[in-house]
Amino acid sequence: MRLTLYTDYSLRVLLYLGAMDAEKLATIKEISEAYGISKNHLMKVTHELGKLGYIETIRGRGGGIHLALKPEEIVLGKVIRETEEDLYLVDCFNPESVGCIISPVCSLKGALNKALHAYMSVLDEYTLADFLHSKEEIAAILFND
């Protein structure tokens, strides 16, 4: 299974904001430059993360973004479920798909479904805070302090 770039960028934004001092604001430009990724992609990602309630956007001069929740409240599995288009490991997981001709009798999809649930269950055990134990080292890399 491979996560989309959209989810990857969402997680990177959350890590960036989590590594910052809580009272500071970041800009999309700063995050874009730190990771070397497109500002346009990050604008879409941050807009969606704001709609989902993970970040708060402050408009205007001196504005920026910051976490809307404490890192301990941001569950990795939930973020992934909300930022991935779908979690269809195979075509037969998609209810709108014509599917595979052996789907009605295939037991492979059961094993794959069980594996997907195990994968997401593990991710549900972690919060953003679990990945910020080395916050100072992350900040030193991202913020060039």
Side-chain angles (χ1 to χ4, degrees), residues 47-58:
H47 177 72
E48 185 66 21
L49 289 174
K51 284 180 15 184
L52 293 170
Y54 293 112
I55 67 172
E56 182 181 10
T57 303
I58 295 145

Side-chain angles (χ1 to χ4, degrees), residues 64-119:
I65 57 176
H66 65 100
L67 291 177
L69 302 169
K70 294 177 183 172
E72 304 79 39
E73 299 172 326
I74 300 175
V75 178
L76 191 63
K78 185 173 186 231
V79 172
I80 290 171
R81 281 184 194 87
E82 293 177 331
T83 56
E84 279 295 305
E85 279 184 37
D86 63 63
L87 293 170
Y88 305 145
L89 295 181
V90 288
D91 195 42
C92 59
F93 280 24
N94 183 350
E96 296 175 10
S97 171
V98 175
C100 173
I101 61 170
I102 65 168
S103 186
V105 296
C106 181
S107 57
L108 176 60
K109 66 183 174 184
L112 292 173
N113 192 41
K114 185 176 178 182
L116 175 62
H117 284 289
Y119 175 79

Side-chain angles (χ1 to χ4, degrees), residues 10-29:
S10 297
L11 295 172
R12 290 188 204 199
V13 166
L14 294 173
L15 281 167
Y16 186 98
L17 298 175
M20 290 177 41
D21 292 334
E23 67 278 353
K24 289 188 177 181
L25 297 174
T27 66
I28 292 171
K29 182 179 184 228

